[in-house]
């Protein structure tokens, strides 16, 4: 069958530059010397399953050359046993009965490779999650089940064929999405290691959330100079192209060779604009200023702060009326008729650094929106910024508040039955990690700046966990911040009191004073709002990137692969993954850069060979599989010379685009399709093996 | 002493999880790495843990593959039982002096059969098991150790020669001497890890005196399926505990101990252990005395709430002192911070001190990097580049920089690898950035100009 398959003609974009190498088709050779290894998992398995019996039963199966049980198969000792047996006994298939293949399939494949075997002649049997952990109180039945699973694995293993990885030519460039500290850090690290970078930022300005702070904890460095230093370093790299006002609108391809369509919204302003101030002054539109978290207004042509990057205003097309007043005032440098431009780029890997949003309190939550005197911590950050809208003064109605109460965990650590779910119907059960330290930093600053202002801090647990963060907690106590602790289920209440000396009354059941109900009269309530996932649902739809229960993008494994998405080639950097502070975000970004450079360390990327395959001797070119296929370009009909001078259509699988989902397999009326290593005949053999012996009824 | 010389791209000091990850990332990139570890096995503290929060994966299951990958990586040379004596810049690179300590076993000949261990008559407290189990003077450090090579504790050895007779490969060598090695390394990663704060740091807690006051690291071994007793028993009399207390911050957030900082992991490991305990001792009462519960990482708060809903008793309180009763039980004098603020006494039959983290080594002993006041490696750029050190070409990762959990250590280790790779420049045979293959519009935008993109006209101007 192999000789008759000619190369597909008209290789298009989706075909890798380096042809995908496949197993040399040959008559499948049945395994005759199977090695079976049963893992104790240090008791995780052997406390329930009789591993000795499993091994003994396995040793009596036809084709099994050796069966052993070992304390930790994943340890060096376990792996060495496989390698040694391959050499000594000439094993031709290997079955390891242990934990989920998610953990150690790769480990054991490498062991086979070290022993000189094709790594795909390995098969895992999961007797931990599927036997010992599933039936902890039924050791006999669990043992029987483990034996059946091993029998099935041996039956399938004997039918496995050697496979080779799919190789894709890699583009030595990357796309970094997001121009905050994480994206900037990743871009800089990649560029400095010789990987080309396209850095895109959705808003018209770089710097992300960090530039809204005036100082960063715990160094107390001014935030904007810090971030701008990073921006300047990125700009100095030749390998980086930076596009602001730019979003991903389409994405195709795979690790090593993504094709991404970017849409850049025009800034509306060019470097020819010399009279920025005049243009901004002339604009008649006023909208809430997001940079100052809504505490003041900006125009439709705006610049968040002097010296922003780029140091040019931008036009907010959503609110601009195109009246032309700005152009009239400025004379030049403004183009109100510019159109968005789409750009197609290629990248071998993508770093997602799209950042976070602040939790938006519901109207009425702790008095929010019911009184202008209930504000959020990000708003207070803007007020305390000497370059901010109030010149660094915390003022309400032109006066410094006499008494202030911070409330922690607003939109964090939410509890079912106590808190109301947000618009997405989800509770924020997680801790937002940064708010405690940020709150105490602000509390200390208030006490220092306004010694006459009383500061109350209403908290659940103070989590100043990080390096040099505990001093904020110690200092705030010394500086006279009054701490009150509320129980998870018993939240403080904020009420507006008309005509009283203090306009707000906070009532808290303070567990630190033996559960006394305390009324705190204040001028201002500051809500320490949490971090929440930003809505990047369009991007998620494009990439199928997994999302966790908390709404943040999910890593493959928090310890084994903490900055990788399950989508190969997609890396996570910073708060798109979880709440993090600046230090943690930049470290995550540098870690993501390490994964990108390793991925693109050679001129190709290797992928698993578990893809669909066509038996051209059966295929009649009906094309039904094309409709069943979920992935663009994975199956096509190609002209194939079936015999001398006779050309017919036959299905062809592009092994790079195919994800091995198997949706095509049942669509084929002539059973010409199968997925390598997940073949129908192999499953039949497994089922036969399981049903060969009845499970002991009622075994306990 | 004999002398060896070796060249490497990166010298990684410490083969705990951070050092392993940095080494693997650099090696995957194509750099030659020399990974050195002062103890007789790689794996660090993590390999001794029972399970890890919040996923509850067994620690061995996560650590051993990393250990194995590093040990078998073509680009990594691993030396255990090796001390770093000095590392100094020598103009273009670093000259490091190392001592490969004598195992009194020829590593090349040893096949890890353990016959020497079985033959050895000397029994000693087992450090790996928190001194709760026993080991021999000739021994393999622990079951999942890498390398699986024996060593002889020469201070305890009685020179009976039984191991020598038992060894089937003649690997025992009492005449072995330490070997001095000079390494030329182009870069260095400091991953020297942590030690726990001493069990007896707070005398009033009777740690190190009362047998049933143990450290949380000891409890990790008790909870390990392959631990010293195979189950949770209290050390003094082997009783199955009915009532277990955790004392949080027993070594952290305490000015008087010189450890005013939060150790970051103790809340979470205590919560994890209480969950494991409630599984293995379903009838036991478990109480956690704490100041603040700091469950700040991804999924940690949910983990904490699960523990609360499982019935673990969390009490905000200060433990003033602990006294040992004649039967081994422990009487805790506790100031309850909440409720009525009473001072009360509680009796538990096992007390776990949630000890904190301090630097595992003093890097200044061998290299001139700046440290902070507590002895952790300091970065000149703590917000933007936490893994840098004051010396170019030297990065640091994991708990050598400060207390942190495994997830954060692993992320940081990869970050450190990035810093070193950047410093070293691309390894030989690295692909170059292609000149073509980029969409025209983007390629022609110069870095600075791109920021001012004003729409099509400017994009196309290039």
């Amino acid at each position: 069958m192999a000789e008759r398959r000619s190369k597909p003609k008209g290789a298009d974009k989706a075909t890798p530059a380096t042809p995908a190498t496949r197993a040399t088709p040959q008559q499948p050779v049945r395994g005759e010397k199977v090695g079976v290894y049963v893992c104790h998992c240090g008791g995780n398995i052997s406390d329930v399953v009789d591993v000795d019996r499993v091994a003994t039963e396995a040793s009596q199966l036809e084709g099994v050359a050796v069966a052993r049980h070992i304390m930790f198969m994943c340890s060096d000792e376990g792996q060495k046993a496989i390698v040694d047996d391959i050499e000594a006994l000439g094993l031709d298939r290997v079955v390891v009965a242990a934990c989920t293949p998610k953990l150690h399939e790769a480990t054991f494949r490498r062991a086979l490779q070290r022993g000189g075997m094709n790594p795909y002649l390995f098969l895992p049997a999961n007797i931990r999650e599927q036997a010992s952990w599933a039936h902890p109180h039924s050791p006999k039945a669990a043992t029987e089940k483990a034996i059946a699973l091993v029998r099935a694995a041996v039956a399938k293993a004997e039918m496995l064929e050697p496979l080779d990885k799919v190789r894709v030519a890699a583009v030595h460039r990357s796309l970094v999405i997001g121009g905050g500290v994480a994206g900037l850090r990743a871009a800089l690290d990649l560029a400095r290691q010789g990987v080309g970078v396209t850095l895109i930022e959705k808003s018209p300005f770089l710097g992300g959330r960090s530039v809204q702070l005036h100082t960063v904890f715990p160094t107390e460095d001014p935030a904007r100079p810090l971030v701008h230093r990073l921006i300047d370093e990125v700009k100095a790299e030749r390998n980086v192209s930076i596009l602001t006002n730019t979003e991903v609108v389409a994405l195709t391809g795979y690790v090593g060779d993504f094709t991404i369509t970017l849409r850049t919204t025009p800034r509306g302003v060019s470097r020819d604009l010399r009279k920025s101030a005049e243009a901004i002054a002339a604009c008649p539109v006023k909208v809430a200023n997001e940079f100052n978290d809504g505490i003041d207004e900006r125009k439709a042509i705006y610049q968040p702060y002097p010296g922003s990057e780029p140091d040019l205003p931008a036009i907010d097309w959503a609110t601009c009326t195109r009246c032309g007043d700005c152009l009239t005032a400025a004379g030049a440098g403004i183009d109100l008729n510019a159109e968005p431009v789409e750009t197609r780029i290629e990248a071998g890997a993508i770093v997602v650094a799209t950042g976070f949003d602040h939790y938006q309190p519901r109207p009425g939550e702790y008095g929010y929106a019911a009184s202008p005197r209930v504000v959020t911590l990000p708003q207070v950050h803007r007020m305390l910024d000497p370059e901010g809208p109030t010149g660094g003064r915390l003022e309400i109605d032109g006066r410094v508040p006499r008494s202030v109460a911070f409330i922690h965990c607003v939109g964090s650590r939410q509890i079912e039955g106590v808190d109301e779910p947000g618009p997405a119907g989800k509770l924020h059960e997680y801790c937002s990690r940064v708010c405690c330290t940020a709150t105490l930093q602000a509390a200390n600053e208030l006490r220092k700046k306004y010694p006459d202002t009383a500061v109350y801090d209403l908290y659940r647990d103070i989590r100043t966990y990080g390096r040099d963060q505990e001093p904020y907690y110690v200092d705030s106590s010394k500086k006279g911040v009054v701490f009150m602790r509320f129980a998870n289920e018993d939240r403080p209440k904020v009420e507006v009191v008309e005509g009283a000396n203090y306009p707000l009354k906070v009532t808290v059941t303070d567990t630190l004073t033996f559960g006394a109900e305390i009324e705190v009269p204040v001028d201002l309530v500051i809500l320490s709002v949490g971090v929440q996932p930003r809505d990047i649902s369009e991007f998620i739809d494009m990439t199928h990137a997994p999302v966790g229960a908390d709404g943040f993008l999910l890593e493959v494994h928090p310890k084994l692969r903490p900055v990788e998405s399950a989508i190969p080639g997609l890396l996570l950097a910073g708060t798109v993954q979880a709440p993090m502070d600046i230090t943690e975000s930049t470290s995550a970004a540098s870690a993501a850069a390490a994964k990108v450079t390793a991925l693109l360390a050679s001129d190709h990327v290797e992928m698993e060979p578990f893809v669909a395959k066509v038996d051209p001797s059966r295929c009649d070119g009906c094309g039904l599989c094309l409709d069943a296929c979920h992935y663009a370009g994975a199956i096509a009909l190609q002209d194939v010379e079936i015999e001398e001078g006779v050309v017919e259509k036959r299905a062809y699988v592009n092994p790079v685009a195919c994800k091995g989902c198997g949706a095509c397999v049942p669509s084929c009326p002539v059973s010409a399709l199968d997925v390598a290593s997940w073949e129908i005949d192999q499953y039949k053999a497994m089922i036969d093996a399981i049903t060969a012996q009845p499970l002991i009824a009622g075994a306990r | 002493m004999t002398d060896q010389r070796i060249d490497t791209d990166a010298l990684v000091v410490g083969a705990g999880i951070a050092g392993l990850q940095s080494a693997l990332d650099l090696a995957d990139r194509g750099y030659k790495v020399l990974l050195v570890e002062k103890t007789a096995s790689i794996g660090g503290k993590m390999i001794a843990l029972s399970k890890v929060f919040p996923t509850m994966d067994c620690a061995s299951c996560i650590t051993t593959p990393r250990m194995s990958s590093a040990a078998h990586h073509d680009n990594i040379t691993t030396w255990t039982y090796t001390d770093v004596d000095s590392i100094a810049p020598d103009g273009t690179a670093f000259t490091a002096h190392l001592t490969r300590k004598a195992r009194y076993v020829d590593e090349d000949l040893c096949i890890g059969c353990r016959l020497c261990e079985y033959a050895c008559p000397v029994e000693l407290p087992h450090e790996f098991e928190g001194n709760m189990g026993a080991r021999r003077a000739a021994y393999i450090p622990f079951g999942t150790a890498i390398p699986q090579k024996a060593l002889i504790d020469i201070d305890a050895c009685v020179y009976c020669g039984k191991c020598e007779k038992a060894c089937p490969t003649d690997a025992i060598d009492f005449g072995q001497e330490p070997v001095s090695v000079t390494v030329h390394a182009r870069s260095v990663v400091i991953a020297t890890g942590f030690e726990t704060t001493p069990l007896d740091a707070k005398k009033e807690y009777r740690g190190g005196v009362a047998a049933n006051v143990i450290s949380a690291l000891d409890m990790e071994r008790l909870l390990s399926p392959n631990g010293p007793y195979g189950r949770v028993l209290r050390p003094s009399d082997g009783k199955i505990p009915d009532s277990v207390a955790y004392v949080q911050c027993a070594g952290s957030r305490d000015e008087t101990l010189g450890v005013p900082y939060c150790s970051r992991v103790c809340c979470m490991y205590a919560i994890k252990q209480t969950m494991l305990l409630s599984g293995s001792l379903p009838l036991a009462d478990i109480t956690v005395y704490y100041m603040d519960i700091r469950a700040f990482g991804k999924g940690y708060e949910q983990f904490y709430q699960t523990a609360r809903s499982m019935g673990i008793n969390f009490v905000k309180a200060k433990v003033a002192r602990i006294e040992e009763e004649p039967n081994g039980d422990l009487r805790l004098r506790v100031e309850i911070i909440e409720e009525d603020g009473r001072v009360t006494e509680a009796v538990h039959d096992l007390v776990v001190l949630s000890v904190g983290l301090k630097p595992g080594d003093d890097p200044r002993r061998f290299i001139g990097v700046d440290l902070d006041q507590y002895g952790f490696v300091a970065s000149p750029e703590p917000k933007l580049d936490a893994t840098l050190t004051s010396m170019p070409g030297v990065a640091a990762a994991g708990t050598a920089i400060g207390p942190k959990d495994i997830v954060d250590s692993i992320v940081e280790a990869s970050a450190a690898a990035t810093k070193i790779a950047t410093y070293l420049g691309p390894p030989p045979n690295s692909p170059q950035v292609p000149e073509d293959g980029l969409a025209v519009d983007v390629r022609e935008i110069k870095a600075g100009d791109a920021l001012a993109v004003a729409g099509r006209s400017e994009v196309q101007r290039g």
Side-chain angles (χ1 to χ4, degrees):
Chain A
M1 58 184 196
E3 313 77 73
R4 288 203 289 165
R5 184 159 114 193
S6 61
K7 283 218 163 152
K9 292 173 185 174
D12 63 7
K13 187 73 192 63
T15 311
T18 308
T21 52
R22 301 293 310 275
T24 319
Q26 58 193 14
Q27 275 311 102
V29 181
R30 256 190 100 80
E32 291 169 345
K33 287 184 178 174
V34 184
V36 178
Y37 301 87
V38 184
C39 182
H40 296 218
C41 198
N44 278 306
I45 293 168
S46 57
D47 285 353
V48 178
V49 170
D50 181 347
V51 288
D52 186 48
R53 241 202 89 208
V54 177
T56 307
E57 292 281 337
S59 69
Q60 287 157 16
L61 294 173
E62 202 183 318
V64 171
V66 64
R68 304 180 191 279
H69 56 91
I70 289 175
M71 178 63 85
F72 282 111
M73 272 313 297
C74 57
S75 71
D76 232 30
E77 185 196 0
Q79 295 183 46
K80 191 168 176 293
I82 298 176
V83 175
D84 289 350
D85 286 346
I86 293 171
E87 280 172 21
L89 307 172
L91 299 183
D92 56 13
R93 302 290 188 277
V94 171
V95 169
V96 176
C99 55
T100 165
K102 271 180 155 180
L103 278 175
H104 288 316
E105 191 170 39
T107 310
F108 297 125
R109 288 201 199 289
R110 276 196 299 273
L112 262 69
Q113 227 160 358
R114 283 204 300 281
M117 276 179 70
N118 182 293
Y120 296 98
L121 297 176
F122 161 80
L123 197 73
N126 181 356
I127 61 164
R128 192 177 77 174
E129 281 79 354
Q130 294 177 3
S132 68
W133 282 5
H135 315 288
H137 305 299
S138 314
K140 272 189 183 167
T143 302
E144 291 303 320
K145 186 173 178 184
I147 291 168
L149 289 169
V150 168
R151 221 162 45 220
V154 169
K156 178 177 170 183
E158 288 172 345
M159 299 172 74
L160 288 175
E161 292 176 52
L163 300 172
D164 291 319
K165 286 200 167 178
V166 177
R167 286 162 64 109
V168 186
V171 180
H172 210 63
R173 286 193 60 91
S174 60
L175 170 68
V176 176
I177 307 174
V181 279
L184 291 163
R185 177 80 261 169
L188 183 58
D189 286 337
L190 287 167
R192 284 183 174 170
Q193 293 182 80
V195 176
V197 180
T198 304
L199 172 64
I200 65 167
E201 162 58 39
K202 185 179 177 180
S203 83
F205 304 96
L206 292 182
R209 292 274 180 206
S210 304
V211 290
Q212 291 176 280
L213 304 171
H214 73 107
T215 55
V216 295
F217 65 72
T219 56
E220 293 293 327
D221 290 329
R224 282 186 294 278
L226 183 81
V227 179
H228 277 259
R229 192 145 45 83
L230 187 57
I231 293 172
D232 290 343
E233 288 183 79
V234 175
K235 280 166 64 184
E237 290 298 322
R238 283 184 57 250
N239 280 343
V240 184
S241 304
I242 308 171
L243 295 169
T244 54
N245 257 353
T246 300
E247 287 181 89
V248 174
V249 290
L251 187 148
T252 57
Y254 26 78
V255 57
D257 192 7
F258 290 105
T259 299
I260 305 120
T261 308
L262 306 175
R263 179 185 292 137
T264 301
T265 307
R267 181 170 213 90
V269 171
S270 76
R271 294 260 181 227
D272 300 333
L273 177 67
R274 299 279 178 261
K275 297 179 174 174
S276 298
E278 287 85 344
I280 293 170
C283 176
V285 178
K286 284 185 176 179
V287 291
N289 184 357
E290 63 282 272
F291 183 75
N292 289 332
D293 276 290
I295 56 176
D296 65 353
E297 291 178 322
R298 64 158 171 82
K299 302 296 185 67
I301 176 169
Y302 70 107
Q303 185 171 359
Y305 57 94
S308 67
E309 191 63 55
D311 193 3
L312 266 186
I315 291 174
D316 169 12
W317 300 109
T319 54
C320 172
T321 59
R322 291 178 168 75
C323 68
D325 287 358
C326 56
L327 182 57
T328 310
I334 293 174
D335 180 359
L336 296 176
N337 299 311
E339 295 286 324
V341 58
E342 290 200 353
T343 314
R344 207 167 74 162
I345 64 161
E346 291 177 346
I350 299 171
V351 177
V352 190
T354 47
F356 70 97
D357 280 327
H358 289 297
Y359 173 77
Q360 184 66 30
R362 285 175 292 101
E365 186 173 5
Y366 296 119
Y368 187 75
S371 165
R373 291 164 174 276
V374 177
V375 298
T376 65
L377 184 60
Q379 291 177 325
V380 169
H381 281 148
R382 296 309 307 139
M383 290 188 230
L384 288 173
D385 187 341
E387 293 163 11
T390 61
R393 287 177 66 78
L394 182 72
E395 284 182 354
I396 296 295
D397 295 341
R399 274 203 218 129
V400 173
R402 297 163 290 171
S403 172
V404 170
F406 287 93
I407 300 177
H408 286 250
C409 296
V410 178
S412 305
R413 302 180 66 189
Q414 291 183 326
I415 295 174
E416 202 176 339
V418 179
D419 295 287
E420 283 183 36
K426 265 186 189 166
L427 286 172
H428 293 172
E429 294 180 330
Y430 54 85
C431 164
S432 290
R433 196 162 174 151
V434 294
C435 349
C436 274
T437 308
T439 301
L440 295 183
Q441 184 193 26
N444 280 339
E445 192 172 340
L446 286 182
R447 287 294 300 157
K448 194 173 155 198
K449 222 170 184 172
Y450 308 112
D452 296 334
T453 299
V455 177
Y456 301 93
D457 185 291
L458 279 56
Y459 76 103
R460 288 159 73 183
D461 291 282
I462 294 292
R463 295 182 168 173
T464 43
Y465 63 88
R467 191 174 197 169
D468 296 327
Q469 291 180 7
E470 192 74 19
Y472 285 110
Y473 191 10
V474 177
D475 289 354
S476 57
S477 302
K478 286 183 189 159
K479 285 199 175 97
V481 174
V482 178
F483 286 89
M484 298 180 191
R485 186 174 197 241
F486 56 94
N488 290 337
E489 302 78 14
D490 198 357
R491 301 295 164 77
K493 285 178 196 63
V494 178
E495 290 164 272
V496 180
V497 199
E498 301 292 343
N501 187 11
Y502 288 88
L504 294 173
K505 184 176 81 178
V506 182
T507 311
V508 54
T509 306
D510 176 24
T511 64
L512 300 180
T513 47
F514 320 138
E517 191 174 278
I518 296 176
E519 290 184 359
V520 188
V522 293
D523 285 328
L524 184 68
V525 167
I526 302 169
L527 306 179
S528 297
V529 291
V531 167
Q532 68 180 16
R534 176 165 285 180
D535 179 9
I536 52 166
S537 47
E538 284 178 23
F539 181 75
I540 291 166
D541 290 344
M542 269 181 244
T543 55
H544 307 292
V547 178
D550 54 12
F552 292 95
L553 286 195
L554 192 63
E555 61 285 335
V556 177
H557 187 285
K559 292 183 179 64
L560 293 172
R561 293 165 69 187
V563 295
E564 295 167 65
S565 163
I567 306 302
L570 214 60
L571 290 309
L572 312 177
T575 50
V576 69
Q577 184 185 6
M580 294 183 195
D581 70 12
I582 294 173
T583 303
E584 290 154 353
S585 294
T586 54
S587 286
S590 293
K595 302 303 165 191
V596 171
T597 53
L599 212 55
L600 305 180
S602 71
D603 57 5
H604 64 268
V605 171
E606 289 188 335
M607 288 156 53
E608 292 292 0
F610 307 121
V611 294
K613 56 180 190 178
V614 182
D615 180 349
S617 67
R618 289 189 175 186
C619 177
D620 57 7
C622 73
L624 282 174
C625 51
L626 271 66
D627 299 331
C629 180
H630 294 321
Y631 296 94
I635 300 190
L637 288 180
Q638 302 280 5
D639 286 332
V640 173
E641 193 171 343
I642 52 167
E643 54 189 75
E644 194 72 35
V646 183
V647 174
E648 283 187 14
K649 298 276 187 201
R650 291 288 180 264
Y652 165 74
V653 175
N654 177 342
V656 179
C658 175
K659 306 287 181 209
C661 71
C664 57
V665 175
S667 76
C668 181
V670 293
S671 301
L673 282 157
D674 238 331
V675 175
S677 268
W678 304 94
E679 298 179 20
I680 301 277
D681 288 346
Q682 294 171 351
Y683 279 110
K684 283 181 183 162
M686 291 176 85
I687 293 166
D688 288 345
I690 289 172
T691 54
Q693 289 177 23
L695 286 172
I696 297 171
R700 283 282 157 201
Chain B
M1 285 204 182
T2 48
D3 248 55
Q4 286 183 0
R5 297 177 79 82
I6 184 173
D7 289 336
T8 188
D9 289 326
L11 170 63
V12 177
V13 183
I17 191 63
L20 287 168
Q21 185 63 49
S22 287
L24 284 166
D25 281 330
L26 286 166
D28 285 348
R29 206 42 228 295
Y31 300 102
K32 294 285 179 201
V33 178
L34 176 63
L35 174 62
V36 298
E37 164 59 40
K38 68 179 174 185
T39 70
S41 171
I42 59 175
K45 295 281 190 295
M46 186 177 169
I47 189 65
L49 304 181
S50 53
K51 294 193 177 184
V52 289
F53 59 81
T55 49
M56 285 294 197
D57 288 313
C58 87
S60 296
C61 306
I62 307 288
T63 323
T64 47
R66 284 290 151 93
M67 294 161 65
S68 184
S69 299
H72 294 294
H73 205 294
D74 287 342
N75 288 337
I76 302 178
T77 303
T78 306
W79 287 351
T80 54
Y81 217 45
T82 299
D83 282 334
V84 176
D85 302 318
S86 68
I87 301 174
D90 60 12
T92 55
F94 297 89
T95 300
H97 294 287
L98 315 181
T99 303
R100 302 194 68 184
K101 293 177 276 192
R103 291 181 95 101
Y104 304 102
V105 171
D106 186 323
E107 270 195 61
D108 294 332
L109 294 178
C110 177
I111 54 168
C113 67
R114 296 191 162 206
L115 290 179
C116 58
E117 190 171 323
Y118 305 145
C120 178
V122 182
E123 289 197 348
L124 299 158
H126 201 333
E127 301 89 345
F128 184 77
E129 304 291 1
N131 292 331
M132 290 180 290
R135 66 160 172 84
R136 305 296 172 86
Y139 68 113
I140 283 178
F142 48 90
T144 48
I146 293 182
Q148 281 282 309
K149 305 284 181 188
L151 71 161
I152 293 171
D153 183 343
I154 208 76
D155 295 333
C157 177
V158 295
Y159 298 97
C160 66
K162 286 184 178 162
C163 54
E164 228 172 345
K165 290 196 193 82
C167 179
T169 61
D170 286 332
I172 309 287
D173 177 6
F174 285 106
Q176 204 177 58
E177 287 191 22
V179 179
S180 293
V181 189
T182 304
V183 175
H184 288 280
R186 293 173 61 213
S187 65
V188 177
V189 177
I190 301 171
T192 43
F194 71 92
E195 286 298 335
T196 52
T197 55
L199 186 61
D200 60 356
K202 285 177 90 73
K203 302 295 176 203
E204 59 272 34
Y205 288 171
R206 308 294 287 166
V209 179
N212 296 329
V213 175
I214 64 172
S215 85
L217 218 46
D218 298 337
M219 181 54 95
E220 290 291 335
R221 294 311 305 156
L222 289 179
L223 287 165
S224 286
N226 54 349
Y229 311 144
R231 54 189 177 145
V232 180
L233 303 173
R234 71 176 192 176
S236 75
D237 52 10
K239 182 186 171 221
I240 296 171
D242 294 323
S243 168
V244 183
Y246 277 77
V247 180
Q248 296 303 108
C249 298
S252 310
R253 298 179 65 190
D254 192 334
E255 294 273 4
T256 63
L257 302 178
V259 186
Y261 53 81
C262 167
S263 289
R264 282 178 80 141
V265 295
C266 328
C267 281
M268 290 307 296
Y269 72 56
I271 294 169
K272 172 199 72 182
Q273 290 187 357
T274 61
M275 288 166 82
L276 292 172
L277 279 173
S278 65
S280 56
L281 307 172
L283 300 176
D285 292 326
I286 303 165
T287 307
V288 180
Y289 299 107
Y290 72 97
M291 298 210 281
D292 295 279
I293 291 293
R294 294 185 167 173
F296 55 82
K298 185 165 183 168
Y300 293 3
E301 175 67 21
Q302 295 92 318
F303 192 76
Y304 169 43
Q305 296 303 336
T306 304
R308 284 169 58 108
S309 65
M310 284 168 70
I312 311 296
N313 191 17
F314 288 88
V315 180
K316 187 170 167 80
K318 278 184 185 153
V319 176
R321 66 168 183 268
I322 299 173
E323 282 162 11
E324 192 177 15
E325 306 267 285
N327 65 357
D329 288 355
L330 301 151
R331 184 172 292 275
L332 276 63
R333 194 168 169 80
V334 183
E335 182 194 336
I336 307 286
I337 297 174
E338 301 190 313
E339 301 166 33
D340 54 358
R342 67 189 182 277
V343 176
T344 183
E345 290 196 338
V347 176
H348 299 279
D349 43 28
L350 184 64
V351 170
V352 182
L353 298 185
S354 289
V355 289
L357 270 53
K358 64 189 190 62
D361 198 353
D362 175 10
R364 290 296 291 256
R365 193 176 53 71
F366 58 84
I367 194 166
V369 294
D370 288 351
L371 306 180
D372 72 8
Q373 56 183 316
Y374 310 114
F376 295 109
V377 179
S379 165
E381 190 70 277
K383 296 306 284 183
L384 302 181
D385 244 339
T387 62
L388 292 183
T389 73
S390 57
M391 290 172 81
V394 181
T399 46
I401 304 182
K404 60 181 60 73
D405 63 31
I406 295 168
V407 176
D408 289 348
S409 290
I410 290 174
V411 168
E412 216 171 66
S414 293
T418 285
K419 300 301 126 180
I420 293 298
T422 305
Y423 173 81
L424 290 173
N429 308 322
S430 289
Q432 296 300 304
V433 180
E435 286 303 315
D436 53 0
L438 257 178
V440 174
D441 323 23
V442 177
R443 189 181 61 234
E444 295 188 351
I445 297 168
K446 297 293 175 284
D449 287 348
L451 290 166
V453 166
R456 180 181 289 161
S457 57
E458 231 180 278
V459 172
Q460 289 182 337
R461 190 189 65 201

